Amino acid sequence: MFDFLNPEIQFNFPLPEPQENEYKESAWGIEKFGEPIKPLTIPRANIGDDDVKLDVIFCGVCHSDVAAGTNEVPGVLGRYPCVAGHELAGKVREIGKNVTNLKVGDKAGIGCFVDSCFDCPMCSSGQENYCFKHATGTYNGMKTNGHIKGNLDIHTFGGYSNTYVCHQRFVFKLPDDMPLEKAGPLFCAGITMFEPLYNHGALEGKKMNIGVAGIGGLGTMGIKLANKMGHTVTAISSSERKKDLALGKGAHNYVAMSNKESVSGNMASLNLIIDTVPVHHDIKPYMSLLAPGGTLVLLGAVAKDYDLSLMDLIPMRNVTCSVVGGTRVTKEMVKFCHENEVYPDIDIITADKLNDVWGELQKVGNASSTRYVLDIKASLK
């Protein structure tokens, strides 16, 4: 079992009955703050003309699910009932009359967002993850952008569910031979690592020296991607403990930050470092590993400010951040991972194991290299 956080700030809503434009669906979630995950019956919107109903077969279990469900960031995602899950993979069950990119029976997936304004510069360029009016999360998101049907007074319910309905823009067609059990985590771990690689030139044909800091579920996925893109990959971790794991996933070099010789031997060597560490940490030592003109990309959603001076940016070093990915790059990610057979390491579970898995993830965060995947259909039996 897992622990709940920040009890002084929580948002509990009654689980509503379906409206006339909704149907009842089976799901697993937390009905009220402090309760365990259990079977729930939730309302889902009937499909509209531009919508797709996905028959969810597998849904990845992400550390972000745990952060939301346990109210780790109070007032941001801690809304109840909470049905988590933003790594959906399944088959199209039904489509609206305006849907053109999918047909019934297609394999498809849904990621971290299910709506955005569609009109701002970010949305217009397929970067809905940076929508000026805020993209709507697949779960615990407020329905403020106008493309989600059903009860608009309740937040979104995620992929720990038998079906999911959303606008076709956020449903991605999968190749017929892509393994569905491994596809779901691509829409979180996969795109989270692919997006900074894509945006910082890793697919432009020039060989780079790329570092990946933090060798967990995200880090190992990043190592696999950068390796398949043809780059020299350096895994970066706090100690020597994960060296064999990193090298086994495709890293060519390894830097243990606690080893001064390891750090000094790799100074000014990396064109790009993707930092997956999910908690506040000292990023100054990473700056010394960057070559002139190199970039450090931070992925962890850390509220506390980092200690960095202008001197740390000399010579011409850059620091930026990245948040998941938009529809344009997500399509590229699916294509690349399929063609190069880049998939996460997974462990398939049923819903009766969710409370234990959440408890484990709360303890280890993203440190584990394995992504848990919920088998929806086996859980319904």
Side-chain angles (χ1 to χ4, degrees), residues 61-105:
V61 180
C62 178
H63 181 259
S64 298
D65 300 351
V66 182
T70 60
N71 202 31
E72 185 175 308
V73 186
V76 177
L77 288 176
R79 302 186 181 104
Y80 305 90
C82 175
V83 175
H86 57 203
E87 304 176 3
L88 290 67
K91 293 186 177 181
V92 175
R93 181 184 291 190
E94 190 177 353
I95 60 173
K97 67 178 184 180
N98 295 335
V99 174
T100 57
N101 59 329
L102 291 157
K103 64 181 185 300
V104 173

Side-chain angles (χ1 to χ4, degrees), residues 169-306:
R169 181 171 182 147
F170 298 96
V171 185
F172 302 93
K173 189 178 187 306
L174 299 175
D176 292 339
D177 59 345
M178 178 173 277
L180 282 178
E181 67 275 15
K182 295 183 178 182
L186 294 180
F187 292 102
C188 183
I191 186 58
T192 296
M193 299 306 298
F194 188 88
E195 168 107 341
L197 289 166
Y198 182 94
N199 287 339
H200 293 279
L203 284 168
E204 294 177 1
K206 182 179 178 181
K207 191 173 180 65
M208 302 171 65
N209 294 317
I210 296 176
V212 178
I215 313 304
L218 286 177
T220 52
M221 192 67 191
I223 289 170
K224 293 177 182 181
L225 286 167
N227 179 297
K228 287 294 186 178
M229 291 175 184
H231 304 296
T232 300
V233 185
T234 297
I236 305 168
S237 193
S238 58
S239 69
E240 297 282 352
R241 186 169 60 91
K242 292 193 174 182
K243 183 174 183 178
D244 290 343
L245 171 64
L247 296 178
K249 300 303 177 185
H252 304 92
N253 306 307
Y254 188 89
V255 176
M257 299 304 292
S258 58
N259 185 324
K260 292 182 179 180
E261 291 183 359
S262 181
V263 175
S264 62
N266 289 276
M267 289 182 67
S269 65
L270 303 175
N271 307 114
L272 177 67
I273 299 175
I274 303 175
D275 182 355
T276 73
V277 178
V279 296
H280 190 271
H281 57 291
D282 186 4
I283 63 173
K284 283 189 175 184
Y286 295 161
M287 302 303 293
S288 68
L289 299 176
L290 284 176
T295 299
L296 171 66
V297 182
L298 302 172
L299 301 184
V302 178
K304 185 178 178 181
D305 291 342
Y306 286 104

